[in-house]
């Protein structure tokens, strides 16, 4: 064979590779050219018959052919495998599949933000169980023995002593029983009441409880300044607080706490029913009876407590008109939260 014939065979082998349709055809070509009795090994054996003067050029051309054929074969085999099993080929340059981006739920967002704001004032986060006993949820909180809130029509009871907590206030009791004063905690958590669901009520909702008890004097003014700081941080500058006298069994005196309406900034609008204020929390100075129940000496401690509805804050802050939007997982609502 002449050098020219060898180069023609080289070109023909590459053309055959290019034309091969599948893995089986490629394998046949591999056997034909590279196999034990293949063309290229046969040529190598016949090198000794080539005139000595032509041998170096012939050997070089043969090596080039082998290298070119092997490279082309590997490329075509990879192509055939990818075509036959598309998933085996992984293209790292393809953009990923977009799965949609989630957001933190408004209730969780408000809880995190509240905890953060109170943290700056030295409050730590306490925790308590959703399933409570009657003592922590009612008795120790100075609730009168036959108070209607204890009725089976208002509260989910498991038995005469065990219930789903109706408020986060029992965490006050747990905290004081486990720690000597001073205590300065907030507790976000779920509460349960036998309420019929409507635009502002849900049988399952969240509260944030706050409690500060110390052995040095703590006053209603301290409570007010703390809540005023919270109001500004949470709802923005220009938001003030006012206290209205109220009654809670576990505080004396007790107040309801209003924030300046964030929509009209106090001028009066539909949202605040023209009052300029929106009710946000219940609060007061911890009642001496509560201290007695937890083993604190009522003559030696001073403290305040407050409790606010998380959903209510979320609805006000994010302009959500109906509490049910927070729980029904309607994608038309959720996708607006981004
Ligand atoms: N537990 C009360 C409720 O569910 C809210 C509340 C009022 C909590 C006054 C307090 C407080 O800690 O001092 O309506």
């Amino acid at each position: 064979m002449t050098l020219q014939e060898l180069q023609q065979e080289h070109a023909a082998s590459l053309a055959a590779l290019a034309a091969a349709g599948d893995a089986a055809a490629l394998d046949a070509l591999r056997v034909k050219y590279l196999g034990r009795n293949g063309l290229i090994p046969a040529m190598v054996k016949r090198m000794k018959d080539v005139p000595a003067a032509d041998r170096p050029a012939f050997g070089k051309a043969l090596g080039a052919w082998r290298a070119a054929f092997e490279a082309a074969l590997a490329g075509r085999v990879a192509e055939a495998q990818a075509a036959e099993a598309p998933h085996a080929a992984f293209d790292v340059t393809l953009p990923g599949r977009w799965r949609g981006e989630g957001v933190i739920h408004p209730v969780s967002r408000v809880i995190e933000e509240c905890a953060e704001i109170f943290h700056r004032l030295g409050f730590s986060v306490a925790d308590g169980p959703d399933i409570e006993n009657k003592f922590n949820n009612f008795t120790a909180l100075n609730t009168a023995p036959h108070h209607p809130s204890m009725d089976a029509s208002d509260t989910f009871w498991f038995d005469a002593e065990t219930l789903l907590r109706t408020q986060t206030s029992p965490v006050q009791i747990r905290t004081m029983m486990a720690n000597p004063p001073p205590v300065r905690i907030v507790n976000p958590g779920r509460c349960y009441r036998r309420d019929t669901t409507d635009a502002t009520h849900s049988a399952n909702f969240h509260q944030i409880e706050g409690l500060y008890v110390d052995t040095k004097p703590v006053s209603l003014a301290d409570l007010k300044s703390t809540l005023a700081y919270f109001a500004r941080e949470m709802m923005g500058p220009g938001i003030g607080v006012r206290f209205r006298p109220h009654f809670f069994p576990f505080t004396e005196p007790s107040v309801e706490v209003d924030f300046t309406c964030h929509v009209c900034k106090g001028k009066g609008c539909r949202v605040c029913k023209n009052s300029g204020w929106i009710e946000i929390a219940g609060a007061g100075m911890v009642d001496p009876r509560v201290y007695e129940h937890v083993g604190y000496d009522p003559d030696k401690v001073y403290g305040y407590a407050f409790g606010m509805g998380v959903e209510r804050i979320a609805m006000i802050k994010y302009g959500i008109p109906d509490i049910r939007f927070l729980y029904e997982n309607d994608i038309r609502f959720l996708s607006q939260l981004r």
Side-chain angles (χ1 to χ4, degrees):
M1 183 182 275
T2 64
L3 193 57
Q4 198 186 2
E5 281 167 343
L6 185 146
Q7 277 157 351
Q8 275 165 8
E9 284 289 359
H10 176 157
S13 71
L14 295 189
L17 278 180
D22 56 21
L26 289 168
D27 201 53
L29 288 173
R30 179 186 64 79
V31 172
K32 176 175 173 189
Y33 286 98
L34 298 174
R36 197 160 356 126
N37 300 314
L39 240 70
I40 294 175
M43 290 271 187
V44 174
K45 277 184 208 137
R46 279 162 51 193
M47 278 283 284
K48 59 182 186 312
D49 302 332
V50 175
D54 297 341
R55 228 175 266 158
F58 204 89
K60 211 170 161 190
L62 199 50
W65 180 16
R66 180 176 203 123
F69 184 85
E70 282 175 350
L73 177 67
R76 294 285 292 122
V77 166
E79 273 172 40
Q81 279 171 352
E84 278 161 31
H87 298 298
F90 180 65
D91 182 349
V92 294
T93 66
L94 281 176
R97 247 173 239 139
W98 193 72
R99 287 176 193 280
E101 201 174 283
V103 292
I104 308 230
H105 193 276
V107 167
S108 305
R109 248 193 263 182
V110 166
I111 288 175
E112 279 171 25
E113 226 175 302
C114 289
E116 213 273 315
I117 293 167
F118 283 109
H119 178 76
R120 278 181 242 145
L121 295 174
F123 287 77
S124 52
V125 173
D127 205 6
D130 292 18
I131 298 174
E132 261 298 0
N133 58 52
K134 184 177 170 182
F135 179 80
N136 288 340
N137 196 88
F138 290 121
T139 314
L141 289 164
N142 194 35
T143 312
H146 299 290
H147 193 275
S149 62
M150 287 192 216
D151 284 359
S153 60
D154 285 347
T155 299
F156 294 103
W157 291 91
F158 294 98
D159 56 45
E161 289 301 319
T162 325
L163 63 147
L164 285 171
R165 68 176 174 198
T166 60
Q167 48 191 355
T168 43
S169 304
V171 179
Q172 292 185 29
I173 304 303
R174 290 179 174 271
T175 303
M176 287 189 279
M177 285 188 141
N179 303 281
V183 293
R184 201 197 296 256
I185 56 109
V186 286
N187 161 248
R190 279 180 188 278
C191 305
Y192 305 81
R193 288 181 198 175
R194 276 189 186 270
D195 273 336
T196 306
T197 303
D198 64 22
T200 53
H201 293 84
S202 166
N204 182 202
F205 58 98
H206 297 73
Q207 287 184 338
I208 293 188
E209 194 78 12
L211 174 72
Y212 173 42
V213 179
D214 211 329
T215 48
K216 60 180 197 228
V218 176
S219 72
L220 207 59
D222 296 322
L223 169 63
K224 196 166 186 184
S225 66
T226 298
L227 293 178
Y229 174 80
F230 172 75
R232 283 194 304 276
E233 293 296 303
M234 194 70 187
M235 305 304 293
I239 301 295
V241 295
R242 77 171 179 186
F243 282 0
R244 279 180 291 108
H246 198 72
F247 174 81
F248 295 105
F250 31 90
T251 43
E252 181 59 35
S254 300
V255 294
E256 273 190 325
V257 185
D258 297 339
F259 284 10
T260 312
C261 175
H262 61 292
V263 176
C264 63
K265 298 282 185 291
K267 287 197 203 71
C269 68
R270 269 178 53 212
V271 172
C272 59
K273 300 197 185 78
N274 270 320
S275 71
W277 297 94
I278 291 189
E279 185 195 321
I280 295 284
M285 304 309 292
V286 178
D287 194 291
R289 297 267 187 115
V290 174
Y291 293 136
E292 282 167 10
H293 279 296
V294 299
Y296 280 14
D297 181 346
D299 293 329
K300 298 216 172 95
V301 290
Y302 309 80
Y304 60 69
F306 55 87
M308 40 203 177
V310 174
E311 282 80 359
R312 189 165 171 78
I313 296 174
M315 289 166 73
I316 289 165
K317 185 161 177 165
Y318 301 113
I320 300 165
D322 191 314
I323 195 171
R324 288 168 288 200
F325 285 155
L326 294 170
Y327 294 111
E328 285 177 350
N329 285 336
D330 186 329
I331 198 75
R332 290 168 300 181
F333 165 71
L334 294 173
S335 59
Q336 285 173 30
L337 293 173
R338 201 151 285 141

